[in-house]
Amino acid sequence: MSTKANAITGYTYDDLMLKHECPWAKDHHESPRRLSSILDRCRELNLFDRCLFVKSTPANDNDILLYHNESLLKKLSKAPVQNIEQLKQVCQEYEDVYMNEYTFDAAKLAVGGSLNLLDSIMTNQCRNGFALVRPPGHHASKNEINGFCLFNNVVITAKAAIEKYNAQRVLILDWDVHHGQGTQYAFYDTNKVLYISTHRYEHGAYWPQLAESDFDHIGEGDGRGFNVNIPLNKTGLKNADYMYIFFNIILPIAYEYDPDLVLVSAGYDVALGCPEGEMKVTPDTFAHLTHYLKGLANGKVMVLLEGGYCIDTLAESAAWTLRSLLGDPCSPLQACANPDLTVKKTVACCKNVLKDYWQSLRIDLTEKSQVWIEEALHKRSLNELATNENRPKQYDLTPTLIIDRTGEQSKKLQQNIKRAIELAPHHKPLERGPTLLVYDELMRKFSVGNHCERPGRIVAIWKGLKSRGLDQRCTMIPSRHATKDEILLVHTNRFYDDLETTKTQTKKELQKREGVSRSVDYTNEVFDNALLAAGSCLNMVDAIMTDKGRNGFAIIRPPGHHAHSGMDYGFCYFNNVAICARYLQKNYNLQRILIVDFDYHMGDGVKDVFYEDPGVLYISLHCNDAFPPNEGHPKDSGKDKGLGFNVNIGWLNFDPPAVDADYINAFHHVVLPMAYEFNPEFVLVCAGFDAAEGDRIGWGKLTACAYSQMTHMLLPLANGRVLEVLEGGYCLHQLNICGSACVATLLGDVPVRCSEDSAKYPQDDVSVRTIQMIKDIHRPYWSSLFTIPDEDDNEIDKLAENLQKTASIKN
């Protein structure tokens, strides 16, 4: 684990790339302004000042020949750029391309800059990077330029990583609105590259109109299962649709693949306002997508610019991508609910054809998706697809995009773009100490013999942070005792007064208290110690809410999540996290608070406090058969208005014990979809480490990887306002390691890589059965959970559409 921050982001571009433009259509949409607008916006936000500039140098022939034919290279190098009519004839041999006298040099710089940035990342000069290059590349194939693309920048970069740096597994994620067929062709028969593409398809009606762009083309030979097409069969898709795809297909597969490098073909033509894509993804969404990719490959993520033709949202989207690479917090998205029916169908089809190759996709039963597979294949058969047989001898010159909008439509779109940008303002990042810590030696005073909940627990975490230098990178927050009024936000007056009497009771009187059956012990120090734990957490809440820090870790004891309003229970006296949540509701008027509990034991006290409260979403990952008895079953889902807001991911079978992959997949398939639909304003974490391997109470096999990754996956929520509060964990060695892993991740360090099999493959007997049950129980309450549409859903969708129109007329 690193002892110091390594958050350098590299970037590359060259001014010559601005000279590449269409000589016969100066207003062509693939124009120099695409790149200059990004440069201007990033400079305006001072983002480049925090980056390492990597100079672009021209690629040599050997670089380009890593993928392309020598004949193509020679032909382009000798293109008659001085004779416009002859040049037009050359361009008409290919589909949608143009050239001028600067194009060939710009294309070599695009490849060369990408390779230089790769070198910087692979030699640890920077952790990640953004290649701001043009012309784009992902449509270019081995012997053909295509779709504004000359050389395939991302393919050459991937091949260089494999040949020069011996990368065994490279993930290429292509979120451009067009399918990167050139990239697919390059790696269709190899497992050294996992290519995942989301693209507008419309059952083959949308360019490039290829059968091989559909979901059923999954690779061949060694590459079977390693080519993942996620076709989008309608326009107007939103953030919720892309996040649904991300959590259900992209992240599970990517984590199971465990790449050595992540490359992104970053086309921003899926962003709101782009006339090419006609989608409605807001620019800040790309920060979220980028953040989740940083959990892979030891953070080695390289983004390469592809398409994007709405200047405003192109520049804003690229800026958010760069901010995410730099480690800035993501802007909260609007609630990601109700993914589109067509997207649900596509995801169901993709899962079904890929499930034999990816264990993480077998969590969902997809047999009923056959009807949608047949529907998709039938609709594809109705469209005239592009083939070698019907390819024209000569293409029309690449046209300028004609935008078919009325004045009123354009005005409304501009208003929507302006609103989307205003809803995601750019805040200046905190310069130092973005992560807060609270720790007080006084919390060691409460001690009961050789009890497992002993003072050494917090000492182990503190020593771990100091030994790794993490404490020096954080901001310390002072401790304090909670007031009685603060405790009464959750607990009864009678309980408070009764516990306070322990301060003056004799040893004999303390021993007479009925604590044995509830797993609690008493000393004269327990009351003040519990007040100090709760008050210190509240100080952390105040500091985060007033921007003294971005997030925090509270090293406190005694723990709290078992404590009920009128009863102490399970080593817990005052319910620290529940008090924090009520405090946030009362003092900051927060309406949506997410509590994630990854302690080995279910937090029954937290559950009871918020059981009927829809303002708090409580999600617990725990062993169903562990303490407390008769609590934490998946079917226990809340009451009245709180129905669906109590989520028990209680592993039904803890033999074999749960491993990292079980928890990570629970996050992908359940926690994150629900969280994004809930859209919390603050995230509280009951951070218990007793599911770690070797713990004397828990019986799990989690490593620091799971705790680091779970922390990383929560950070894009709530504008980064995440507070982890220590609960259980009784192996001092694991507390030292896992606590440090969480704090390092909060600080923005690379999360621990999921390389071991236990971190990559969810267990059928543990997580698969449980997650299936959780989804079945909670689908009525959460639209973002994966579901296979019923056969009559089309009719339901049409009915809803008609009802909506009727309602609009009446209003």
Side-chain angles (χ1 to χ4, degrees):
M1 188 182 301
S2 67
T3 58
K4 61 180 182 179
N6 176 24
I8 298 174
T9 293
Y11 75 104
T12 187
Y13 83 96
D14 192 284
D15 285 337
L16 183 67
M17 298 177 197
L18 299 173
K19 294 185 177 182
H20 162 62
E21 61 181 341
C22 184
W24 54 82
K26 296 293 186 181
D27 55 347
H28 195 283
H29 47 293
E30 204 298 285
S31 69
R33 194 171 167 223
R34 294 182 57 246
L35 179 55
S36 64
S37 68
I38 295 173
L39 299 174
D40 291 344
R41 184 61 172 144
C42 291
R43 287 170 181 144
E44 181 184 359
L45 296 169
N46 300 314
L47 299 182
F48 291 148
D49 296 344
R50 300 159 55 200
C51 296
L52 172 70
F53 176 67
V54 177
K55 183 176 176 59
S56 292
T57 55
N60 60 42
D61 288 357
N62 288 334
D63 295 329
I64 295 168
L65 293 175
L66 282 171
Y67 180 43
H68 296 286
N69 283 345
E70 188 172 3
S71 59
L72 178 68
L73 176 60
K74 286 182 178 178
K75 186 171 186 177
L76 295 180
S77 68
K78 295 179 179 180
V81 293
Q82 302 303 326
N83 187 312
I84 191 73
E85 293 306 317
Q86 291 180 11
L87 182 61
K88 285 180 179 180
Q89 290 178 12
V90 172
C91 290
Q92 284 180 288
E93 294 177 28
Y94 306 102
E95 188 172 13
D96 283 342
V97 291
Y98 67 78
M99 289 184 283
N100 69 357
E101 65 267 36
Y102 302 104
T103 296
F104 185 69
D105 290 335
K108 289 199 296 181
L109 280 169
V111 173
S114 299
L115 293 177
N116 291 350
L117 186 55
L118 173 71
D119 289 339
S120 296
I121 293 171
M122 298 304 285
T123 57
N124 297 315
Q125 296 174 56
C126 55
R127 181 192 299 177
N128 54 47
F130 200 156
L132 294 165
V133 295
R134 62 182 292 271
H138 70 146
H139 297 306
S141 59
K142 190 177 184 70
N143 57 5
E144 185 174 349
I145 59 177
N146 189 279
F148 311 156
C149 301
L150 270 76
F151 301 133
N152 199 314
N153 308 310
V154 75
V155 166
I156 295 171
T157 301
K159 285 183 173 288
I162 293 168
E163 295 194 13
K164 185 175 181 179
Y165 294 102
N166 197 33
Q168 298 301 301
R169 295 178 301 279
V170 177
L171 166 63
I172 299 177
L173 174 61
D174 189 335
W175 68 49
D176 190 281
V177 83
H178 304 91
H179 180 227
Q181 76 274 32
T183 308
Q184 175 169 306
Y185 297 153
F187 302 114
Y188 202 63
D189 60 354
T190 180
N191 57 18
K192 286 202 167 185
V193 173
L194 167 62
Y195 177 60
I196 304 177
S197 176
T198 62
H199 48 267
R200 181 176 169 185
Y201 189 58
E202 297 179 45
H203 300 293
Y206 188 69
W207 193 88
Q209 296 172 270
L210 300 169
E212 55 263 41
S213 302
D214 213 349
F215 68 90
D216 56 333
H217 287 257
I218 62 173
E220 61 187 18
D222 291 340
R224 191 149 182 85
F226 293 87
N227 189 85
V228 180
N229 286 323
I230 307 167
L232 307 174
N233 291 315
K234 69 179 290 187
T235 57
L237 299 179
K238 302 176 183 178
N239 298 349
D241 302 301
Y242 276 78
M243 300 312 292
Y244 184 82
I245 291 167
F246 223 75
F247 296 142
N248 276 292
I249 298 179
I250 296 173
L251 278 186
I253 290 177
Y255 269 75
E256 188 172 335
Y257 185 61
D258 180 33
D260 301 313
L261 172 70
V262 177
L263 300 174
V264 182
S265 279
Y268 297 106
D269 34 11
V270 298
L272 175 67
C274 183
E276 276 277 340
E278 299 183 83
M279 300 297 181
K280 295 182 179 179
V281 178
T282 59
D284 49 334
T285 304
F286 298 100
H288 293 256
L289 305 184
T290 304
H291 176 90
Y292 285 112
L293 296 176
K294 294 193 303 179
L296 301 159
N298 289 323
K300 294 184 185 300
V301 177
M302 180 173 158
V303 180
L304 297 90
L305 181 63
E306 298 284 0
Y309 309 99
C310 172
I311 296 301
D312 291 339
T313 54
L314 165 65
E316 196 70 8
S317 299
W320 273 114
T321 302
L322 185 56
R323 290 202 67 166
S324 186
L325 290 172
L326 282 163
D328 293 350
C330 301
S331 175
L333 300 180
Q334 297 299 301
C336 291
N338 300 312
D340 192 274
L341 175 63
T342 62
V343 172
K344 289 184 176 182
K345 290 180 184 180
T346 291
V347 169
C349 293
C350 291
K351 279 179 177 274
N352 195 62
V353 298
L354 292 165
K355 65 183 179 183
D356 292 339
Y357 307 95
W358 301 101
Q359 194 163 319
S360 54
L361 297 188
R362 294 205 292 272
I363 283 176
D364 292 304
L365 302 174
T366 58
E367 286 72 16
K368 292 182 180 179
S369 62
Q370 192 60 41
V371 63
W372 303 121
I373 291 176
E374 292 171 4
E375 179 197 64
L377 297 179
H378 173 68
K379 288 183 176 180
R380 188 175 80 195
S381 70
L382 300 177
N383 285 311
E384 184 178 355
L385 303 174
T387 65
N388 286 330
E389 287 70 31
N390 63 17
R391 174 177 175 149
K393 291 182 179 180
Q394 186 180 66
Y395 290 95
D396 293 333
L397 287 172
T398 176
T400 299
L401 184 64
I402 298 173
I403 302 174
D404 186 21
R405 296 188 191 120
T406 65
E408 188 60 34
Q409 288 172 331
S410 296
K411 181 180 178 182
K412 185 176 180 181
L413 179 60
Q414 286 304 313
Q415 289 173 341
N416 290 338
I417 291 172
K418 182 181 178 184
R419 183 171 181 272
I421 293 175
E422 288 175 347
L423 286 172
H426 292 272
H427 298 291
K428 185 178 179 181
L430 297 168
E431 292 182 3
R432 65 175 300 276
T435 293
L436 310 175
L437 293 177
V438 66
Y439 173 76
D440 194 321
E441 293 281 337
L442 290 176
M443 293 187 215
R444 299 173 60 186
K445 292 185 72 174
F446 168 54
S447 180
V448 184
N450 292 320
H451 198 287
C452 58
E453 204 296 285
R454 59 200 189 278
R457 296 176 60 244
I458 58 172
V459 175
I461 294 179
W462 183 244
K463 285 184 176 179
L465 299 184
K466 290 183 73 68
S467 69
R468 297 171 176 87
L470 295 170
D471 62 315
Q472 296 300 310
R473 296 169 52 201
C474 297
T475 297
M476 294 301 300
I477 295 298
S479 60
R480 72 167 174 89
H481 291 82
T483 66
K484 183 175 182 179
D485 285 343
E486 289 167 344
I487 298 298
L488 295 184
L489 289 170
V490 167
H491 297 281
T492 65
N493 192 76
R494 181 178 178 180
F495 171 64
Y496 180 95
D497 290 344
D498 180 60
L499 191 62
E500 189 176 24
T501 63
T502 60
K503 292 180 66 173
T504 55
Q505 285 181 325
T506 65
K507 188 174 182 180
K508 193 172 183 179
E509 288 173 326
L510 291 171
Q511 289 173 343
K512 285 182 179 179
R513 297 178 69 94
E514 296 178 357
V516 177
S517 64
R518 303 194 308 278
S519 296
V520 284
D521 293 278
Y522 303 95
T523 70
N524 295 133
E525 294 80 22
V526 65
F527 179 75
D528 282 338
N529 211 144
L531 283 180
L532 187 58
S536 297
C537 291
L538 295 178
N539 262 5
M540 294 283 275
V541 167
D542 284 332
I544 292 172
M545 290 302 294
T546 55
D547 295 325
K548 291 183 175 66
R550 184 189 305 165
N551 53 49
F553 193 100
I555 312 170
I556 54 96
R557 63 177 292 271
H561 71 147
H562 295 307
H564 295 250
S565 61
M567 180 179 71
D568 42 19
Y569 196 44
F571 311 164
C572 301
Y573 301 88
F574 295 138
N575 199 315
N576 306 307
V577 165
I579 291 168
C580 286
R582 286 289 189 230
Y583 185 83
L584 284 162
Q585 289 176 325
K586 179 177 182 290
N587 288 37
Y588 294 98
N589 194 33
L590 296 195
Q591 305 299 305
R592 299 178 307 281
I593 299 166
L594 170 64
I595 301 177
V596 175
D597 190 335
F598 53 61
D599 191 279
Y600 176 80
H601 307 91
M602 184 262 181
D604 52 314
V606 180
K607 179 208 79 170
D608 280 358
V609 172
F610 302 109
Y611 202 58
E612 300 177 33
D613 186 351
V616 174
L617 171 59
Y618 175 61
I619 305 178
S620 175
L621 301 95
H622 57 268
C623 174
N624 184 52
D625 296 331
F627 178 92
N630 305 314
E631 289 279 8
H633 193 277
K635 290 183 180 178
D636 191 5
S637 55
K639 182 181 177 183
D640 296 337
K641 291 182 179 180
L643 195 59
F645 291 88
N646 185 75
V647 184
N648 285 313
I649 306 176
W651 309 122
L652 298 174
N653 186 349
F654 227 67
D655 184 13
V659 296
D660 295 341
D662 296 319
Y663 279 70
I664 289 168
N665 272 275
F667 262 66
H668 293 162
H669 290 275
V670 178
V671 178
L672 292 176
M674 286 185 177
Y676 271 81
E677 185 169 350
F678 184 61
N679 190 23
E681 299 164 285
F682 201 101
V683 179
L684 292 163
V685 180
C686 294
F689 300 100
D690 36 3
E693 186 168 16
D695 191 272
R696 58 195 291 186
I697 288 186
W699 196 54
K701 284 197 172 183
L702 299 197
T703 71
C705 170
Y707 297 110
S708 174
Q709 289 288 343
M710 288 189 288
T711 299
H712 175 77
M713 286 188 273
L714 292 173
L715 288 177
L717 299 164
N719 205 30
R721 287 175 168 164
V722 177
L723 173 59
E724 298 194 333
V725 177
L726 180 63
E727 295 286 355
Y730 308 98
C731 172
L732 301 187
H733 175 66
Q734 291 289 5
L735 284 166
N736 181 299
I737 296 172
C738 297
S740 290
C742 287
V743 172
T745 306
L746 289 170
L747 280 162
D749 288 1
V750 174
V752 180
R753 184 174 174 182
C754 300
S755 292
E756 301 299 324
D757 283 355
S758 62
K760 292 160 68 173
Y761 305 117
Q763 301 177 100
D764 289 343
D765 291 337
V766 181
S767 57
V768 173
R769 287 177 55 225
T770 305
I771 292 173
Q772 286 173 357
M773 178 180 284
I774 290 292
K775 288 185 174 183
D776 288 342
I777 292 167
H778 284 276
R779 278 194 188 100
Y781 317 115
W782 300 97
S783 64
S784 53
L785 295 178
F786 172 75
T787 183
I788 297 175
D790 293 329
E791 287 190 51
D792 60 349
D793 269 7
N794 276 325
E795 295 303 316
I796 293 172
D797 200 56
K798 288 174 185 174
L799 178 62
E801 231 174 77
N802 291 333
L803 287 172
Q804 191 172 2
K805 287 178 182 176
T806 305
S808 299
I809 292 168
K810 287 182 179 178
N811 291 332

